[in-house]
Amino acid sequence: MERIGLRAAPRLTLEALKEALKGFRLPEAKVYLLTDWQDRREKARYALLLHGGKKDLLTPDAFGPAFPGGRRPWPSWWPTSSREGRGGFMKPWSPPGR
């Protein structure tokens, strides 16, 4: 598993993710959003896990409204995934302190 990006740095992590996705077989990938908040979306932090068969990518919690600019990367990247046939996203939840 390759870890990319920095915690609380959505723009930097998105750029690192875009670079890491070169050569990644996206149509076969599973995308997971990981968060530690449930029913508190205004404070949510999201990490991203891409499972792609031979290669996995993991970002730290760099996205979401908990971070300045944390919501902005999604509109430019997320809809692209849905249009390209990757719309089955899962969002596992783990309570804080576990």
Side-chain angles (χ1 to χ4, degrees):
M1 179 176 303
E2 181 181 350
R3 295 177 185 217
I4 55 171
L6 295 173
R7 183 175 191 269
R11 281 182 241 130
L12 181 70
T13 300
L14 183 63
E15 290 305 316
L17 183 61
K18 286 179 182 178
E19 188 64 32
L21 288 175
K22 292 179 180 174
F24 197 84
R25 297 188 54 91
L26 282 176
E28 298 172 7
K30 292 182 181 177
V31 179
Y32 300 88
L33 279 179
L34 308 168
T35 186
D36 64 351
W37 291 100
Q38 184 176 16
D39 297 329
R40 297 176 100 186
R41 292 181 187 243
E42 73 282 353
K43 295 182 180 180
R45 303 179 319 220
Y46 295 99
L48 186 77
L49 170 65
L50 285 127
H51 176 66
K54 293 182 180 180
K55 183 178 180 183
D56 296 330
L57 301 173
L58 176 66
T59 72
D61 54 337
F63 304 105
F67 306 117
R71 291 184 188 199
R72 288 192 189 125
W74 296 115
S76 64
W77 183 77
W78 190 267
T80 302
S81 296
S82 297
R83 276 196 303 272
E84 293 174 8
R86 291 177 299 280
F89 295 99
M90 299 174 162
K91 188 174 80 170
W93 171 76
S94 174
R98 274 197 162 174

